[in-house]
Amino acid sequence: KLALANAVCGTATTARPPHNPVTTTTPSRRRRANRERETPRRKKMYPPPISLRLAMIALVLSERLLGATCLGTSPPGSTGTNDPQQLQNQIRNAIELTTLSTTTDPSLLSSATSAWDELLSEPRRRQQQQQQRHRIVPSVLTLCHTLHGHTLSRAGRDRDALKSYDEALKISSSNDDDDEALTGRANALRRLFRYDDAASAYRAAGDVEGEITCLLRQGLLRRALKTASEEDGVGAAAGGSGFAVVLKWMMSSSSSSSNGGGGGGITANSVTTEGLSRHRRSSLLYEWLYRVATRRSTASTPAFVPSSVVSSKDGGSGTFLSLVSINHSAFDVPHYLILDDKIRLHRLLTHPLNNERTVTFWPRGFVLPEEKEAFRRYRDDNPRKGFIVKDPAGYGSHGNRIYRRDDDDDTFLGEREQSVLCQELILPSSSRRHGTNRQFSLRVYVVTFYDARGDLRVYVARNGLVKYASTPRNDDDDNSNNDISSIATNSAQYGNEDNQIDWDVWKTRKDCVDDFEGLWEDLKSIVRVVMTCRHPGEEGDAAYWHECRMEDATASRHFGPLHIPKIMGWDVLLDGTSDGEQQRPMLIEVNRFPGLEPRGGQDDNVKRQVVGDAWRVVAKEIGLDPRVVGLPFNYDDEKKNCLEELNLG
């Protein structure tokens, strides 16, 4: 099948998610002999598998070309149809739609999902159990359910995807069949912020990197260190894998800081330095950590940029993409989960400690079903207002939907698997005033890091993106007749990469605000207020949030000495209820892991400048040359820097 896939489809590629940049080699898949662990790690065999998509194509084409069949008489419970050829065509159609939605046309994603839903739906399967038919054999059915799960995840339906992955695992007859399903299930749990469950799922899949990342997302450094040390086959005393080396350094640095050693200026001991030196040539992240630990930043010690991240076409795009990947690394500060989770962010901003300062820029919202009675009263008192419903872990506009006033109240406000945030819709008046009738949002890039003193520093980029919805909006009374594509402005989901411009171009257009400088001051004020919000039950500011489960009260401070810049994307809508008034910026969500991969044109220019300047600012602050991470030049002219620092007061 592998040879056939290569012959028909070209060289096979792996469908595994990209490795975390902290990984020094291909993650080990050895089964751990430690019986104290709840779930043993699976043993994986190599060579690397072909992609799931090519595997499916190979399976279907092999039966056609070789005169065999992937359909046969199977026990009750398998899926089938009276016509084997028809079923084979349905599988091929679902695969083709999935492929096209992945590579060329994201708008086909819903069609691909529907094709798999129809093929694998429970009612259809129960009906077909009543008589003997040609059915999909288990090995192919496992792959069908897995690909269905992948498609659902891409559509933002991770909870539904979990059901498909579970079905695939139930049907699978061998470890090879369920490898993709195990990994897909772990990825879905991770996107749902179910980090404990995701860590266990990654462990079952043999993915050490994924397990450690989920532990660190919760601030569980000791458990992560134990996992890293055990996987490497060494004790916690010295040496170990790249993960283990960095984790020991983080914990020792925090301990030194708490004993009066200062903040982020702690240098590494010789064991850590030697360990980082061994791994520095594996990734740009390790190169950065080695330089931070040793403070070596002279012309005589130039950066080593791994050949795997250097592009021959764009003289630096490989380095740029490697820096982008670090924004998703395992060493992301855990307390930013409060910004990423829409319900946690809502509760923070509407808490009495903060509400007086945030009410001017945070839309009215309700956590359902807990606040259903308050929502009913507000909805009935404001019949012309529209509402949007958001999943707490939604990303890229996935999980968002328009509330319809004709929805059944008992169903909409009844018990749910998880709570959702229902917010008032914000509709910019400028698009109506100038006849474009296109919803748009402003993407504001915010950069944070801990400096050499251990203090949180916050910067806002002077240039960002204006993202337009892919379809025009209907001006009905409550906007309940609008499709989500006329409200959502995410370029990745709706395939509208061309419908975004940078702020400099936007200033020349009619739908721009009259007073851009006033808007800029308002945007900075929003970021300043959010980043200085007081956490309920805490007396400190935003730098000391601890809503995530932590091992101790200073867990987030473990990450400070690494001096890794965090780039977030804050989405803002402009609210104006009448044509004559100045539009008011309203924060709608914060993206902890924004898509920083360039999509061409102005999008490319803005992202490259933000990412480059973020690393330059941090390097300058701690006394390193930006060239240590492969950036081609350094400059002292602040006018060229697109980042403006905020005074958090």
Side-chain angles (χ1 to χ4, degrees), residues 366-377 413-415:
F366 305 87
V367 178
L368 302 178
E370 293 92 320
E371 300 173 353
K372 59 183 179 183
E373 294 304 326
F375 169 71
R376 277 196 181 109
R377 291 193 298 271
L413 299 176
E415 294 300 320

Side-chain angles (χ1 to χ4, degrees), residues 84-328:
Q85 187 65 48
Q86 178 185 351
L87 181 55
Q88 205 166 51
N89 288 338
Q90 286 180 307
I91 296 175
R92 288 177 59 86
N93 178 60
I95 293 171
E96 290 173 359
L97 287 172
T98 301
T99 304
L100 290 173
S101 68
T102 303
T103 57
T104 58
D105 190 353
S107 65
L108 292 176
L109 185 59
S110 60
S111 299
T113 304
S114 299
W116 289 115
D117 287 341
E118 171 64 21
L119 183 66
L120 302 170
S121 63
E122 284 296 325
R124 171 179 172 147
R125 292 176 60 196
R126 286 196 296 268
Q127 181 182 6
Q128 290 164 353
Q129 289 174 13
Q130 298 175 3
Q131 49 186 301
Q132 287 290 331
R133 296 168 182 252
H134 292 281
R135 295 179 174 90
I136 307 175
V137 297
S139 60
V140 179
L141 187 57
T142 297
L143 293 175
C144 286
H145 279 292
T146 303
L147 192 52
H148 185 206
H150 288 349
T151 307
L152 290 169
S153 284
R154 288 188 56 242
R157 296 168 55 187
D158 284 305
R159 285 189 300 279
D160 293 332
L162 289 176
K163 299 175 184 178
S164 292
Y165 292 132
D166 288 339
E167 189 69 21
L169 294 172
K170 183 170 66 176
I171 298 171
S172 66
S173 57
S174 71
N175 288 346
D176 291 337
D177 286 345
D178 63 17
D179 182 71
E180 288 279 356
L182 282 168
T183 302
R185 184 175 184 276
N187 290 337
L189 289 167
R190 178 173 165 180
R191 284 188 294 269
L192 290 170
F193 303 151
R194 293 171 56 181
Y195 290 126
D196 264 342
D197 294 335
S200 299
Y202 280 121
R203 179 163 60 247
D207 190 337
V208 180
E209 174 190 316
E211 180 184 357
I212 292 176
T213 298
C214 289
L215 293 174
L216 291 180
R217 290 285 188 264
Q218 305 170 79
L220 303 177
L221 274 73
R222 294 184 181 88
R223 280 180 58 185
L225 176 58
K226 181 181 179 182
T227 299
S229 299
E230 289 173 349
E231 179 61 23
D232 198 63
V234 299
S241 67
F243 267 122
V245 171
V246 178
L247 288 168
K248 293 170 198 170
W249 175 31
M250 293 167 64
M251 297 179 72
S252 64
S253 296
S254 180
S255 175
S256 299
S257 176
S258 63
N259 291 329
I266 307 299
T267 55
N269 58 36
S270 59
V271 174
T272 300
T273 301
E274 291 173 6
L276 291 173
S277 180
R278 289 197 304 271
H279 298 290
R280 61 181 291 209
R281 291 179 176 268
S282 63
S283 75
L284 213 52
L285 174 57
Y286 273 120
E287 176 68 24
W288 170 261
L289 295 177
Y290 172 75
R291 299 304 182 110
V292 169
T294 61
R295 292 298 194 269
R296 295 182 181 176
S297 178
T298 64
S300 61
T301 57
F304 173 81
V305 181
S307 59
S308 59
V309 301
V310 175
S311 168
S312 59
K313 294 182 178 179
D314 190 11
S317 66
T319 300
F320 170 77
L321 293 178
S322 186
L323 293 176
V324 166
S325 69
I326 295 175
N327 204 52
H328 296 258

Side-chain angles (χ1 to χ4, degrees), residues 292-530:
V292 169
T294 61
R295 292 298 194 269
R296 295 182 181 176
S297 178
T298 64
S300 61
T301 57
F304 173 81
V305 181
S307 59
S308 59
V309 301
V310 175
S311 168
S312 59
K313 294 182 178 179
D314 190 11
S317 66
T319 300
F320 170 77
L321 293 178
S322 186
L323 293 176
V324 166
S325 69
I326 295 175
N327 204 52
H328 296 258
S329 79
F331 300 118
D332 195 65
V333 180
H335 62 222
Y336 285 141
L337 174 63
I338 301 175
L339 297 176
D340 204 21
D341 186 317
K342 295 177 177 60
I343 289 181
R344 293 190 186 195
L345 177 61
H346 172 75
R347 285 174 171 159
L348 174 73
L349 298 183
T350 57
H351 191 276
L353 285 171
N354 307 308
N355 187 55
E356 186 177 341
R357 295 194 299 157
T358 63
V359 67
T360 58
F361 63 78
W362 183 247
R364 183 69 180 267
F366 305 87
V367 178
L368 302 178
E370 293 92 320
E371 300 173 353
K372 59 183 179 183
E373 294 304 326
F375 169 71
R376 277 196 181 109
R377 291 193 298 271
Y378 187 79
R379 176 199 61 188
D380 295 343
D381 291 342
N382 299 272
R384 294 179 60 86
K385 291 187 180 295
F387 299 90
I388 186 169
V389 183
K390 302 177 180 179
D391 288 340
Y395 55 93
S397 296
H398 293 308
N400 295 352
R401 54 203 176 277
I402 302 297
Y403 168 71
R404 314 287 180 184
R405 286 185 176 266
D406 56 359
D407 287 345
D408 180 68
D409 256 18
D410 293 335
T411 301
F412 179 73
L413 299 176
E415 294 300 320
R416 298 172 175 267
E417 291 185 30
Q418 69 167 8
S419 299
V420 295
L421 177 62
C422 183
Q423 280 186 308
E424 184 179 332
L425 267 177
I426 304 300
L427 300 174
S429 63
S430 63
S431 59
R432 295 194 300 268
R433 183 166 68 244
H434 296 294
T436 60
N437 217 33
R438 298 276 295 279
Q439 179 89 327
F440 65 87
S441 65
L442 304 181
R443 167 57 58 88
V444 183
Y445 290 104
V446 177
V447 178
T448 67
F449 67 92
Y450 287 93
D451 63 18
R453 297 175 298 279
D455 296 328
L456 181 68
R457 305 283 289 274
V458 179
Y459 292 76
V460 182
R462 294 190 187 93
N463 198 7
L465 294 171
V466 180
K467 299 187 173 187
Y468 290 87
S470 58
T471 59
R473 190 182 67 248
N474 296 321
D475 283 331
D476 54 330
D477 285 344
D478 60 5
N479 290 278
S480 61
N481 292 325
N482 279 303
D483 183 79
I484 188 63
S485 64
S486 67
I487 302 297
T489 57
N490 181 267
S491 58
Q493 179 179 355
Y494 295 101
N496 63 338
E497 291 89 343
D498 295 333
N499 289 337
Q500 53 185 16
I501 56 177
D502 67 29
W503 291 357
D504 289 335
V505 174
W506 183 53
K507 293 174 188 177
T508 67
R509 297 180 55 152
K510 293 181 178 180
D511 57 357
C512 182
V513 295
D514 297 329
D515 182 11
F516 184 84
E517 289 305 315
L519 172 62
W520 170 241
E521 294 300 321
D522 289 341
L523 294 176
K524 291 190 296 181
S525 176
I526 290 174
V527 176
R528 184 183 299 107
V529 168
V530 174

